[in-house]
C-alpha cells in the first residue's frame, strides 16, 4: 500500500529485456536506500514492484511481461526520470490517498498550460474506467496522488502546485507522453458493487 506522496525522483541507469521479462536498475540519492530492504515493495511511477537487489545508490526490480504491457514502463529508456515511493509503514503518517500500486490503465497527456503558480494537465480518460474518475475525487498519475479538477467521458484535468511539479516527473511531461493511471480504489469497489446489485434486480 502507498499514499501517492513521492519521496524520490530516480533515474533509470540500466534496462535489460529478455523473453522472461525486464530488469530495471534505478539510481537514487545517497541514503535513500537505507529504508529499503531486498524483498520490499517499492512503487516505480506508481507500479508496485519488488526490490530484488541493491548496491550503492542503485536498486533493481524485475518487471514481469503483464506489468510491462499494462504500464508506461515499456516506454522508458536509460536516463529517464521515474517517481519512487517506498511502501507505507503501518506506523507511518498517512497522507495523500490509498494507492495500491496496481495500474489500471495508461493515459496520454493532451494539454499542458500555466495558470498562476499552477500547471494544468489534461489527460485522456482511459476507456473502461468511466465513473472511477470524478471531479474533486482522487487519482494517481505516475504514482502521484492528485485531485481531479474536472472530467468528462473523454478527458480529465489535474492541477500541479510548484512542489508537485518540481519533486515528481510530472513537470517534465510533454504533450503525447503516456502516464500510469490508478483510479480511486473506493470508487472501483462502489462501481463493482453497484453493478452486482443491478444484475440482481434484472
Amino acid at each position: 500500500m502507498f499514499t501517492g506522496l513521492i519521496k524520490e525522483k530516480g533515474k533509470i541507469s540500466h534496462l535489460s529485456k529478455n523473453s522472461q521479462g525486464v530488469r530495471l536498475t534505478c539510481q537514487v540519492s545517497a541514503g535513500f536506500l537505507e529504508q529499503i530492504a531486498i524483498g520490499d515493495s517499492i512503487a516505480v511511477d506508481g507500479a508496485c514492484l519488488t526490490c530484488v537487489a541493491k548496491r550503492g545508490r542503485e536498486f533493481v526490480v524485475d518487471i514481469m511481461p503483464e506489468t510491462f504491457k499494462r504500464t508506461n514502463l515499456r516506454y522508458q529508456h536509460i536516463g529517464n526520470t521515474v517517481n519512487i515511493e517506498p511502501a507505507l509503514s503501518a506506523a507511518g503518517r498517512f497522507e495523500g490517498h490509498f494507492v495500491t500500486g496496481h495500474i489500471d490503465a495508461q493515459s496520454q497527456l493532451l494539454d499542458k498550460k500555466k495558470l498562476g503558480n499552477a500547471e494544468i494537465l489534461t489527460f485522456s480518460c482511459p476507456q473502461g474506467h468511466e465513473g472511477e474518475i470524478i471531479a474533486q475525487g482522487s487519482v494517481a498519475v505516475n504514482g502521484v496522488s492528485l485531485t481531479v479538477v474536472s472530467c468528462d467521458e473523454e478527458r480529465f484535468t489535474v492541477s500541479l502546485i510548484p512542489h508537485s511539479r518540481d519533486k515528481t516527473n510530472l513537470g517534465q511531461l510533454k504533450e503525447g507522453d503516456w502516464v500510469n493511471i490508478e483510479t480511486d480504489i473506493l470508487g472501483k469497489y462502489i462501481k463493482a458493487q453497484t453493478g452486482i446489485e443491478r444484475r440482481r434486480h434484472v
Side-chain angles (χ1 to χ4, degrees), residues 52-76:
V52 298
K54 64 176 189 174
R55 52 183 177 270
R57 292 172 51 196
E58 295 181 325
F59 70 90
V60 180
V61 293
D62 286 330
I63 306 170
M64 59 184 177
E66 179 67 14
T67 302
F68 194 67
K69 180 179 71 174
R70 291 178 64 92
T71 69
N72 72 346
L73 296 175
R74 59 182 171 152
Y75 301 118
Q76 299 293 356

Side-chain angles (χ1 to χ4, degrees), residues 112-133:
K112 180 178 182 179
K113 61 184 179 183
K114 296 279 288 184
L115 181 62
N117 69 346
E119 201 157 78
I120 309 300
L121 305 181
T122 300
F123 296 97
S124 59
C125 197
Q127 292 185 350
H129 297 277
E130 297 82 2
E132 297 173 20
I133 300 176

